Amino acid sequence: APAHPLWPEIERVTLEQLQYARLGVEGGVWQLFAEDGEMKMYKREEEVDGLAVDPLKAVHTVKGVTGREMTHYFFSPDVRFEWETTLEQMKVLETIADDTLVILQIHKRVWPASQRDALFWSHVRRVPNDTDRDAQDIWIACNHSTEHHEAPSNEGKMVRVALTVCLVCQTSIEPPADGGPVTRDHLTCKITYCSVVNPGGWVPTSALRAVYKREYPKFLKRFTQYVKDRCDKQPILF
Ligand SMILES: O=S(=O)(CCO)c1ccc(-c2ccc(C3CCCC3)c([C@H]3C[C@H]3c3ccccn3)c2)cc1
């Protein structure tokens, strides 16, 4: 593993997020707040220092793509502006490895909040499925706020959000009955998207919750559709 000062944290947080995502939405603590076909979005209403920091967990089933493809397009900075509509600027501050970056993002102003930026490491990895041998490997992409000497400290300008986000994907293959080749029609990708965003500065709770309710379903629907469109008619990446 690369000898980078962030590596121990990247390893710990990524595996913690994997376990957190795999807990699903049991326990009755999760409140279903949006549904669209296979996509179900849950939240918990929590406040930190009077700020709404509502953990979010979404589950979705997407046909025709693999978890490797889904997490690849989520991780790739090159395509982020194709699906992230709330992004204004993005800069890769450091390439720690081909699967690990430090990214600074400036998001568009979302009324009534003032403009925000986010500084985080981003990591993607394949995790062998330790419970079910003949299942496909699990893929996880994880974004977690970090410090970086190259990021402006924003005195008095931009408010910096703190976030931890993960996208965990499990691919299933239903092989064709006639023993023919596996095509995209035989692929199903089960997705769990988790996010905890601390807005970093005061936003009226009701307004922030309205933004969450509007933006998250739009975001996950647009992102997953983008991946389906990109992968259509392309060779399958397992
Ligand atoms: O999954 S990612 O890593 C994808 C890479 O971009 C991610 C996702 C979401 C955010 C983000 C950042 C700021 C805000 C708020 C906080 C106060 C005002 C802006 C929100 C809240 C508003 C919710 C939201 C959800 C989805 C999309 C945009 N807006 C979300 C950042 C990164």
Side-chain angles (χ1 to χ4, degrees), residues 74 84 86 105 107 116 143 165 193 211-212 215-216 219:
F74 184 79
E84 243 287 26
T86 67
Q105 294 192 163
H107 285 258
R116 264 126 172 112
N143 295 340
V165 161
Y193 172 82
V211 173
Y212 275 46
E215 293 294 337
Y216 272 115
F219 154 81

Side-chain angles (χ1 to χ4, degrees), residues 14-67:
T14 301
L15 295 177
E16 278 169 4
Q17 284 296 301
L18 176 62
Q19 295 319 321
Y20 173 69
R22 289 170 83 175
L23 290 179
V25 284
E26 320 305 330
V29 292
W30 293 96
Q31 201 190 106
L32 179 67
F33 78 89
E35 211 166 344
D36 181 313
E38 290 293 312
M39 181 178 74
K40 290 182 173 57
M41 225 157 228
Y42 301 82
K43 68 169 179 175
R44 294 209 321 262
E45 295 202 345
E46 289 178 5
E47 300 197 5
V48 171
D49 305 331
L51 287 181
V53 184
D54 299 350
L56 179 126
K57 199 176 262 196
V59 291
H60 195 8
T61 301
V62 179
K63 298 285 295 171
V65 294
T66 66

Side-chain angles (χ1 to χ4, degrees), residues 61-67 170-174 184-190:
T61 301
V62 179
K63 298 285 295 171
V65 294
T66 66
Q170 169 75 66
T171 310
S172 311
I173 304 172
E174 297 111 67
R184 290 193 177 277
D185 296 340
H186 307 115
L187 298 179
T188 301
C189 183
K190 278 185 72 59

Side-chain angles (χ1 to χ4, degrees), residues 64-77:
V65 294
T66 66
R68 177 177 176 188
E69 293 166 337
M70 196 58 83
T71 51
H72 165 77
Y73 286 111
F74 184 79
F75 169 80
S76 169

Side-chain angles (χ1 to χ4, degrees), residues 7 24 40 42 96 112 129 131 133 137 173 192 238:
W7 190 249
K40 290 182 173 57
Y42 301 82
I96 297 174
N129 194 314
T131 50
R133 281 272 161 267
D137 293 337
I173 304 172
T192 303
F238 288 104

